[in-house]
Amino acid sequence: VPRNFKLLEELEKGEKGIGDGSCSYGLTDGDDITMSDWNGTIIGPGHTVHENRIYSLKFHCGDSYPDEPPTVSFVSRINLPCVNQSNGRVDATKLACLSNWKRTNGLENILVDLRREMASPNNRKLPQPPEGSVF
């Protein structure tokens, strides 16, 4: 599937909403014909230190997307082992869906995987920066 078809498909999916509404995404600028820059949101999973927190992320889908994964960064400060604490960038080698990227993956997979990381036994109680702080 060519890049633009894949991104149009993702845009359509993002506009409909994902599953239970705990993750969402869309284009940063609706007039961006290259569909390169996206925003994402994750609502922290219940029964964790992330509960009731809303995390903002940004994605950049380069020219070789979906053959190569997008770059992913948190705008909201978060303490997770896969997130660089100086700039918010997600380390692709430390997140399963990025390190084992398949062109059938998409932005939804990344958001769901990050939310799963938040809820994992190792991360569910990690001390977090003050709510509302950003990178």
Side-chain angles (χ1 to χ4, degrees):
V1 179
R3 178 182 184 276
N4 282 4
F5 289 160
K6 169 78 172 164
L7 288 168
L8 279 169
E9 194 177 288
E10 297 218 40
L11 180 59
E12 204 172 283
K13 257 178 126 173
E15 287 174 344
K16 287 181 181 159
I18 306 169
D20 63 3
S22 59
C23 299
S24 63
Y25 62 93
L27 279 173
T28 301
D29 175 1
D31 295 330
D32 175 13
I33 60 168
T34 65
M35 294 183 280
S36 297
D37 295 303
W38 298 70
N39 293 323
T41 304
I42 299 173
I43 297 174
H47 311 294
T48 71
V49 293
H50 308 284
E51 186 168 22
N52 296 325
R53 285 189 175 210
I54 298 173
Y55 294 98
S56 298
L57 299 90
K58 57 186 179 184
F59 300 92
H60 179 77
C61 298
D63 293 339
S64 48
Y65 182 84
D67 293 318
E68 297 291 324
T71 56
V72 185
S73 299
F74 275 85
V75 175
S76 308
R77 279 203 167 278
I78 188 168
N79 179 20
L80 281 178
C82 63
V83 178
N84 180 315
Q85 290 304 301
S86 63
N87 60 16
R89 184 133 179 213
V90 175
D91 182 341
T93 64
K94 295 181 180 173
L95 189 69
C97 72
L98 292 176
S99 61
N100 302 310
W101 184 256
K102 297 176 187 73
R103 63 173 305 159
T104 53
N105 285 0
L107 305 179
E108 176 180 346
N109 302 94
I110 298 166
L111 290 167
V112 169
D113 217 22
L114 284 165
R115 192 167 191 271
R116 194 176 302 121
E117 277 296 304
M118 291 176 193
S120 77
N122 294 341
N123 301 330
R124 64 185 311 121
K125 291 190 162 99
L126 280 178
Q128 295 299 314
E131 195 166 354
S133 55
V134 294
F135 282 104

